[in-house]
Amino acid sequence: MILTGGKQVTIYDPTMARIEDVGSNFYISEAQAGKVSRAEAAIGQLKELNPYMDVNVLKEPISNDVLKRYSLVFVTELILPWAEMVKMNEFCRSQPQPIGFILSLTLGLYGNTFVDFGPKFVVKDTTGESTNSYIVVFVSKENPGVVRVHEDKKHAFNEGDWVKFREIEGMTELNDAKPVQIKVVDKHSFSICDTSQFKDYVKGGIVENVKMPVELHFKSLAQSLEQPLKSKDDCLINSDLRVIGRAEQLHIGFCAILKYYEKHNALPELNNKAQAEEVVKLAQEINKANEAKDGFHVNEKEFDAEVVRNMALYSRAEITSMCSFFGGVAAQEGFKCVGKYTPLQQWLHYDCFESLPPGKEVNRKPMNSRYDDLISIYGQEVLEKLQNLKLLMVGAGALGCELMKAFALLGVTTKGGHLTLTDNDNIELSNLSRQFLFRQKDIGQSKSKTASNVAIKSNPKFNVKAMTEFVAPSTEHIFTEDFWEGLDMIIGAVDNVKARMYMDAKCVWHSKPLIDAGTLGTKANTQVVLPKITQSYSDSMDPEEETFPMCTIRNFPNLIEHTIEWGRSQFEGYFNETPRNAADYVKSPETFLKRTGQGTTITGLIQVLKDILELLRLKKVNSFDACVKFAREKFQENFYTTIAQLLHTFPPDYKDEHGVPFWTGPKRAPVIIEFNPKDKLHALYVQACAIICAGVLKVPIAKEQKSEDYILKVASGVHIPKFEPKKIEIALEENKLEEKLLGNEEEELTKLKEELKTVSKGFKESDFDPTDFEKDDETNFHVDYVHAAANLRARNYKIAECDKLKTRGVAGRIIPAIATATAMIVGCLCNEIIKVAQKFEKIDDYKAAFVNLAIPMFIFSEPPPAVEIKSKEFDPIMAGPVKAIPEGHTKWEKIEVKGPMTINQLEAMLKEKYKVSISMVLCGELTLYMDGMSPKERKTKKIEDVLEEVSKSKMEPTVKTLRVDVMAETLDDGTAVTLSLIHISEPTRLGMISYAVFCLKKKKKKKKQKTKNNK
């Protein structure tokens, strides 16, 4: 709540800090235990999270007058009598403007969240998703009317959605109509209201879904505890698909714990079996009484006493995984009090009892340590396993920070273990709102090193090594085979699919567990990858991000995202690529021309050289006024000349050879923009462009020259020649970038090269300073430039403009991450890590999580099993049958072979053991041998020698195994075969080392009898 912002957060907790609290509260230290209250212990560091928010401790008792000061009340501990909490809730909901009330408790491995926003509450936006807009191509005149959208893009509307229209030609009644509800017909059509009396549809138009308010009604805490369902047909959120009905069991169990709490004024003691049995008996009595009056109950035959027993045995303990989960859930529910997102209706119950040590007595005796709550649940044996874990974690961003906190609290690697944390990124301003280990003073510092230092400060025994290297093929000399073999587990906390794929491949090859998580705004998921048990990450790839065709971005945008991408592309071209090209050119013209000429067309090369020539001439003048002139000319070029040329080539009434209007469907006829110095957006474009250009060219700027007035004065005096249309060929097909000027290109290229040769004299590489787009620096004008360019482009094409926040998000490629979803999913992740540490082997012991806090939706299911590779009667790729050897093997299985070995020896072994002959041998993406294509003598060489020959590089001395794949056929009938990967251990590294030692000894011996002929 503090990270995200607001006016004030007040904390009430007079409970004395205990040593056990140090294991679940990151902001309480061992030195504070027994000396100050929990609130006083944590307040200092909580204030540091957001210096702009008033964060304080309430020292007076809670009364109605105190409650009136706040708009939201959270109850997260049973530190008051239950009757007082019920009264508190009644008071909050009875106010003219109800005070939001959220109860969220963690009781051992069980927890819950309850939400009450009053008798009547309006949700303005149920999902928080961006609205979707589509281009209309036809509307029928009937009842109901059917709308068809352009075939380029399927609509994502759902049954019952509301939509509105704009820019419809002909059937203009739709433009003025209120939002209408739809019924989906198919992926490109939906029906609306009666359009039979409307005018005929002519062309064009945009349809967009509309957020409609939804009214909700909440029960009080007392009412909802007794009857949590709206009706008998409803059910509680059953998050765990593996145990249907668990939420109802947990609710009855919670009611029993509250009865015990009211009776004894305390929760059951930890691991007190007699008190736990009392709670079980209370639960059975409550269930029977409710059933007798036809109230909320669980079928007697389905009542699980063990669930309630576990709730009672550990209810006094708090563990960071559950605190993190429910902290994230409760905070997100709190943000919903403003009407965005759908609140819980009204209970969420969740447990993780499956992570308990199975079927054996464990030592749960407290040690008077920060880990006592963890010990009381899992025992000293599990703590020791966590302390001795050897881990690699990739990523120290939002997920990484939460995990580092959790590891420090759980005691991970604090005894004989170690954690390697690597992240090549540095801390940026925008990180501070969700990566809570970082502060303003840390901006620009390494994420991994800063996160490690903060976590170690919390738990000095936490053994972590911070690194800044990528985990990739290029760093296999750092992250060697020995390194991977020495790990117990790999944690993925990175938002890079390529890095995840690489880690996944390494985990499969070395048979290591991979625990991965990801977030996207309010959505989050976890994946547990277990050797020989589950699918790997790459077996179920994330969907690819939506991309836009380049011809759409360049000439035919119809969405604001198109114009933002165009603005970002302009930034890269003007301020990064061109100055980089100019620096490369002046360094070595011949090398640059040769390299660039090979990688592009003659048209593309001409444009590159023109841009370099323009920049060199600008640098020659070396004045800020020249940079302003450049900016004014770019305004004219982008928003007037280019558009005028496009309209000259394709006038608004242009029709193709079939008589179809050109400007229809996704193509919107643009309009030119005349420069107006009084228009703030025009002024911002010129100012931002000039200042960034000056930085790239290292042109000094006087303080007064940076002012908008000075820049506009210079810009207004720039002479702009009259537009003269050219004969030009414009790209209409997707993904084509070039606009080809019709004429003699060879002649123009020769002339350009000669001009460049003359103009470039005297320049050096250091004269240019290419700039990378930086979204978080408010003083560098980068976002200002893209924002102004994008919205001016939007005006050209009559697209609704956007605010700067939207520009920053799209242009900065920001993957939305929020602290609530991050905390919640890390709680799930930690529960899975504890299971892996215990080496659980059953797939149904594990949970894969899929959560959307906005809706809210919670789904937990067992991970998908490892994919078995089986024989096929017909394989579409091979165009025939394929035999799996061995039948039903998975990617986790390998054919183990001891090297060194030649290809001939490998083939002989496979013939003898699997009755197959090989036609191709591959190592990664490299083909080592192919029948009929490769030299036959390769088969007699050692495989590692062939690898070095094909890759044209020496193997690293750290390589101890080779991963080899083969294409093979059965000996009897020539059927194509799918074999397990071949794992060749000890290629020739040991042999080569022995040989090197032998040569060294021989050389020393010869040295003694050296003659003139010896070298």
Side-chain angles (χ1 to χ4, degrees), residues 643-657:
I643 302 299
Q645 181 63 56
L646 187 61
L647 290 171
H648 172 77
T649 309
F650 302 110
D653 57 354
Y654 182 84
K655 294 181 180 179
D656 64 18
E657 64 269 22

PDB file of all heavy atoms in Angstrom, residues 643-657:
ATOM      1  N   ILE A 643       3.314  13.380 -45.626  1.00  0.00           N
ATOM      2  CA  ILE A 643       1.866  13.194 -45.743  1.00  0.00           C
ATOM      3  C   ILE A 643       1.372  13.754 -47.076  1.00  0.00           C
ATOM      4  O   ILE A 643       0.555  13.131 -47.773  1.00  0.00           O
ATOM      5  CB  ILE A 643       1.134  13.880 -44.572  1.00  0.00           C
ATOM      6  CG1 ILE A 643       1.626  13.313 -43.232  1.00  0.00           C
ATOM      7  CG2 ILE A 643      -0.371  13.731 -44.708  1.00  0.00           C
ATOM      8  CD1 ILE A 643       1.396  11.833 -43.028  1.00  0.00           C
ATOM      9  N   ALA A 644       1.911  14.923 -47.440  1.00  0.00           N
ATOM     10  CA  ALA A 644       1.515  15.524 -48.731  1.00  0.00           C
ATOM     11  C   ALA A 644       1.916  14.619 -49.886  1.00  0.00           C
ATOM     12  O   ALA A 644       1.167  14.453 -50.866  1.00  0.00           O
ATOM     13  CB  ALA A 644       2.155  16.904 -48.875  1.00  0.00           C
ATOM     14  N   GLN A 645       3.099  14.007 -49.791  1.00  0.00           N
ATOM     15  CA  GLN A 645       3.555  13.080 -50.833  1.00  0.00           C
ATOM     16  C   GLN A 645       2.650  11.848 -50.902  1.00  0.00           C
ATOM     17  O   GLN A 645       2.308  11.377 -51.981  1.00  0.00           O
ATOM     18  CB  GLN A 645       4.996  12.649 -50.539  1.00  0.00           C
ATOM     19  CG  GLN A 645       5.584  11.690 -51.570  1.00  0.00           C
ATOM     20  CD  GLN A 645       5.703  12.306 -52.957  1.00  0.00           C
ATOM     21  OE1 GLN A 645       6.332  13.356 -53.129  1.00  0.00           O
ATOM     22  NE2 GLN A 645       5.090  11.682 -53.947  1.00  0.00           N
ATOM     23  N   LEU A 646       2.258  11.330 -49.747  1.00  0.00           N
ATOM     24  CA  LEU A 646       1.368  10.165 -49.701  1.00  0.00           C
ATOM     25  C   LEU A 646       0.016  10.492 -50.330  1.00  0.00           C
ATOM     26  O   LEU A 646      -0.536   9.688 -51.111  1.00  0.00           O
ATOM     27  CB  LEU A 646       1.183   9.728 -48.234  1.00  0.00           C
ATOM     28  CG  LEU A 646       0.427   8.429 -47.979  1.00  0.00           C
ATOM     29  CD1 LEU A 646       1.133   7.230 -48.606  1.00  0.00           C
ATOM     30  CD2 LEU A 646       0.257   8.205 -46.480  1.00  0.00           C
ATOM     31  N   LEU A 647      -0.516  11.672 -50.033  1.00  0.00           N
ATOM     32  CA  LEU A 647      -1.807  12.077 -50.600  1.00  0.00           C
ATOM     33  C   LEU A 647      -1.695  12.393 -52.086  1.00  0.00           C
ATOM     34  O   LEU A 647      -2.671  12.274 -52.829  1.00  0.00           O
ATOM     35  CB  LEU A 647      -2.350  13.289 -49.831  1.00  0.00           C
ATOM     36  CG  LEU A 647      -2.816  13.001 -48.399  1.00  0.00           C
ATOM     37  CD1 LEU A 647      -3.114  14.305 -47.663  1.00  0.00           C
ATOM     38  CD2 LEU A 647      -4.040  12.094 -48.405  1.00  0.00           C
ATOM     39  N   HIS A 648      -0.497  12.827 -52.507  1.00  0.00           N
ATOM     40  CA  HIS A 648      -0.280  13.043 -53.938  1.00  0.00           C
ATOM     41  C   HIS A 648      -0.303  11.711 -54.683  1.00  0.00           C
ATOM     42  O   HIS A 648      -0.875  11.599 -55.769  1.00  0.00           O
ATOM     43  CB  HIS A 648       1.066  13.747 -54.167  1.00  0.00           C
ATOM     44  CG  HIS A 648       1.462  13.841 -55.610  1.00  0.00           C
ATOM     45  ND1 HIS A 648       0.907  14.755 -56.484  1.00  0.00           N
ATOM     46  CD2 HIS A 648       2.347  13.103 -56.347  1.00  0.00           C
ATOM     47  CE1 HIS A 648       1.432  14.587 -57.687  1.00  0.00           C
ATOM     48  NE2 HIS A 648       2.315  13.589 -57.624  1.00  0.00           N
ATOM     49  N   THR A 649       0.321  10.691 -54.082  1.00  0.00           N
ATOM     50  CA  THR A 649       0.361   9.370 -54.713  1.00  0.00           C
ATOM     51  C   THR A 649      -0.995   8.676 -54.633  1.00  0.00           C
ATOM     52  O   THR A 649      -1.436   8.034 -55.591  1.00  0.00           O
ATOM     53  CB  THR A 649       1.430   8.495 -54.018  1.00  0.00           C
ATOM     54  OG1 THR A 649       2.668   9.221 -53.962  1.00  0.00           O
ATOM     55  CG2 THR A 649       1.648   7.185 -54.777  1.00  0.00           C
ATOM     56  N   PHE A 650      -1.656   8.818 -53.474  1.00  0.00           N
ATOM     57  CA  PHE A 650      -2.975   8.199 -53.269  1.00  0.00           C
ATOM     58  C   PHE A 650      -3.944   9.276 -52.770  1.00  0.00           C
ATOM     59  O   PHE A 650      -4.126   9.424 -51.558  1.00  0.00           O
ATOM     60  CB  PHE A 650      -2.892   7.060 -52.247  1.00  0.00           C
ATOM     61  CG  PHE A 650      -1.917   5.974 -52.612  1.00  0.00           C
ATOM     62  CD1 PHE A 650      -0.739   5.818 -51.896  1.00  0.00           C
ATOM     63  CD2 PHE A 650      -2.175   5.109 -53.673  1.00  0.00           C
ATOM     64  CE1 PHE A 650       0.161   4.824 -52.225  1.00  0.00           C
ATOM     65  CE2 PHE A 650      -1.270   4.116 -54.002  1.00  0.00           C
ATOM     66  CZ  PHE A 650      -0.095   3.965 -53.283  1.00  0.00           C
ATOM     67  N   PRO A 651      -4.574  10.023 -53.652  1.00  0.00           N
ATOM     68  CA  PRO A 651      -5.520  11.061 -53.231  1.00  0.00           C
ATOM     69  C   PRO A 651      -6.668  10.455 -52.416  1.00  0.00           C
ATOM     70  O   PRO A 651      -6.921   9.251 -52.500  1.00  0.00           O
ATOM     71  CB  PRO A 651      -6.025  11.638 -54.559  1.00  0.00           C
ATOM     72  CG  PRO A 651      -4.986  11.275 -55.563  1.00  0.00           C
ATOM     73  CD  PRO A 651      -4.416   9.970 -55.109  1.00  0.00           C
ATOM     74  N   PRO A 652      -7.388  11.276 -51.627  1.00  0.00           N
ATOM     75  CA  PRO A 652      -8.470  10.752 -50.787  1.00  0.00           C
ATOM     76  C   PRO A 652      -9.530   9.949 -51.541  1.00  0.00           C
ATOM     77  O   PRO A 652     -10.156   9.056 -50.967  1.00  0.00           O
ATOM     78  CB  PRO A 652      -9.071  12.017 -50.160  1.00  0.00           C
ATOM     79  CG  PRO A 652      -7.930  12.980 -50.118  1.00  0.00           C
ATOM     80  CD  PRO A 652      -7.135  12.712 -51.355  1.00  0.00           C
ATOM     81  N   ASP A 653      -9.728  10.262 -52.820  1.00  0.00           N
ATOM     82  CA  ASP A 653     -10.743   9.528 -53.594  1.00  0.00           C
ATOM     83  C   ASP A 653     -10.135   8.447 -54.494  1.00  0.00           C
ATOM     84  O   ASP A 653     -10.794   7.923 -55.396  1.00  0.00           O
ATOM     85  CB  ASP A 653     -11.552  10.503 -54.449  1.00  0.00           C
ATOM     86  CG  ASP A 653     -10.665  11.317 -55.395  1.00  0.00           C
ATOM     87  OD1 ASP A 653      -9.418  11.192 -55.303  1.00  0.00           O
ATOM     88  OD2 ASP A 653     -11.201  12.062 -56.228  1.00  0.00           O
ATOM     89  N   TYR A 654      -8.889   8.090 -54.239  1.00  0.00           N
ATOM     90  CA  TYR A 654      -8.179   7.114 -55.084  1.00  0.00           C
ATOM     91  C   TYR A 654      -8.831   5.738 -55.002  1.00  0.00           C
ATOM     92  O   TYR A 654      -9.230   5.280 -53.923  1.00  0.00           O
ATOM     93  CB  TYR A 654      -6.715   7.035 -54.637  1.00  0.00           C
ATOM     94  CG  TYR A 654      -5.860   6.107 -55.465  1.00  0.00           C
ATOM     95  CD1 TYR A 654      -5.284   6.541 -56.664  1.00  0.00           C
ATOM     96  CD2 TYR A 654      -5.628   4.797 -55.053  1.00  0.00           C
ATOM     97  CE1 TYR A 654      -4.490   5.689 -57.417  1.00  0.00           C
ATOM     98  CE2 TYR A 654      -4.839   3.937 -55.797  1.00  0.00           C
ATOM     99  CZ  TYR A 654      -4.267   4.391 -56.988  1.00  0.00           C
ATOM    100  OH  TYR A 654      -3.493   3.539 -57.730  1.00  0.00           O
ATOM    101  N   LYS A 655      -8.934   5.060 -56.164  1.00  0.00           N
ATOM    102  CA  LYS A 655      -9.453   3.698 -56.221  1.00  0.00           C
ATOM    103  C   LYS A 655      -8.438   2.811 -56.934  1.00  0.00           C
ATOM    104  O   LYS A 655      -7.709   3.269 -57.814  1.00  0.00           O
ATOM    105  CB  LYS A 655     -10.782   3.658 -56.974  1.00  0.00           C
ATOM    106  CG  LYS A 655     -11.903   4.390 -56.245  1.00  0.00           C
ATOM    107  CD  LYS A 655     -13.219   4.308 -57.007  1.00  0.00           C
ATOM    108  CE  LYS A 655     -14.317   5.053 -56.247  1.00  0.00           C
ATOM    109  NZ  LYS A 655     -15.609   5.001 -56.981  1.00  0.00           N
ATOM    110  N   ASP A 656      -8.387   1.529 -56.510  1.00  0.00           N
ATOM    111  CA  ASP A 656      -7.442   0.606 -57.140  1.00  0.00           C
ATOM    112  C   ASP A 656      -7.989   0.118 -58.482  1.00  0.00           C
ATOM    113  O   ASP A 656      -9.057   0.555 -58.936  1.00  0.00           O
ATOM    114  CB  ASP A 656      -7.104  -0.559 -56.216  1.00  0.00           C
ATOM    115  CG  ASP A 656      -8.315  -1.442 -55.907  1.00  0.00           C
ATOM    116  OD1 ASP A 656      -9.316  -1.376 -56.640  1.00  0.00           O
ATOM    117  OD2 ASP A 656      -8.246  -2.211 -54.923  1.00  0.00           O
ATOM    118  N   GLU A 657      -7.255  -0.818 -59.115  1.00  0.00           N
ATOM    119  CA  GLU A 657      -7.638  -1.284 -60.449  1.00  0.00           C
ATOM    120  C   GLU A 657      -8.988  -1.994 -60.481  1.00  0.00           C
ATOM    121  O   GLU A 657      -9.602  -2.153 -61.539  1.00  0.00           O
ATOM    122  CB  GLU A 657      -6.541  -2.207 -61.020  1.00  0.00           C
ATOM    123  CG  GLU A 657      -6.322  -3.502 -60.259  1.00  0.00           C
ATOM    124  CD  GLU A 657      -5.276  -3.378 -59.173  1.00  0.00           C
ATOM    125  OE1 GLU A 657      -5.020  -2.236 -58.718  1.00  0.00           O
ATOM    126  OE2 GLU A 657      -4.724  -4.415 -58.773  1.00  0.00           O
TER     127      GLU A 657
END
